[in-house]
Amino acid sequence: MKKTIRLAYESAMTNAKSALARDDLDAAFAALERAHVLGQRHLVPHLVTHAHMLRIGVRRRDAGESVGQVMRLTATIPGFLLGWIPKGNTGGANVSALKPMDLPDDLREVLGDFNVWHDVGVRVAIYAVLAGVAVAVLD
């Protein structure tokens, strides 16, 4: 993760945790949506963000959000492996998990070079190398 993205992600997560400590679930969720936009290209931050969103869904007793977050947590690893990352998606159950969304103005500069197909290409190259190594080892 690029330093600028990491710092912005960490700031959003800090804001979410502070809001949770104040029991301000709306502010916490808004900060998590921002964290999701920033971290969705990276497996661990993506999983962590959805886990916190699930926590808020449970605390709110919001079945739709809770079920939606369980589904997103389940889809995160295959989505990551396949490069299925809709740019700008805020990650809440109130939006389609497949829908790209406009980036907030202040994140355009930070995430401006976000290119899903570049990510897919990198993953395909990595998988091809790993497959080649596996074939060589097994022969």
Side-chain angles (χ1 to χ4, degrees), residues 23-96:
D23 205 35
D24 186 348
L25 301 182
D26 291 339
F29 201 84
L32 290 171
E33 288 177 316
R34 182 176 176 82
H36 184 269
V37 170
L38 290 158
Q40 68 181 345
R41 291 173 64 191
H42 307 279
L43 183 60
V44 173
H46 197 177
L47 287 167
V48 166
T49 304
H50 281 299
H52 283 286
M53 287 178 160
L54 173 59
R55 180 178 174 197
I56 290 175
V58 169
R59 282 181 67 177
R60 286 180 172 162
R61 293 185 172 89
D62 182 338
E65 188 64 47
S66 298
V67 169
Q69 291 307 323
V70 168
M71 291 172 57
R72 281 160 174 75
L73 280 163
T74 303
T76 296
I77 292 174
F80 176 80
L81 294 173
L82 298 172
W84 170 42
I85 312 276
K87 183 177 184 176
N89 189 286
T90 55
N94 62 329
V95 297
S96 167

Side-chain angles (χ1 to χ4, degrees), residues 41 81 115-129:
R41 291 173 64 191
L81 294 173
N115 183 314
V116 172
W117 294 111
H118 174 267
D119 289 358
V120 170
V122 168
R123 286 182 180 89
V124 167
I126 290 169
Y127 303 146
V129 169

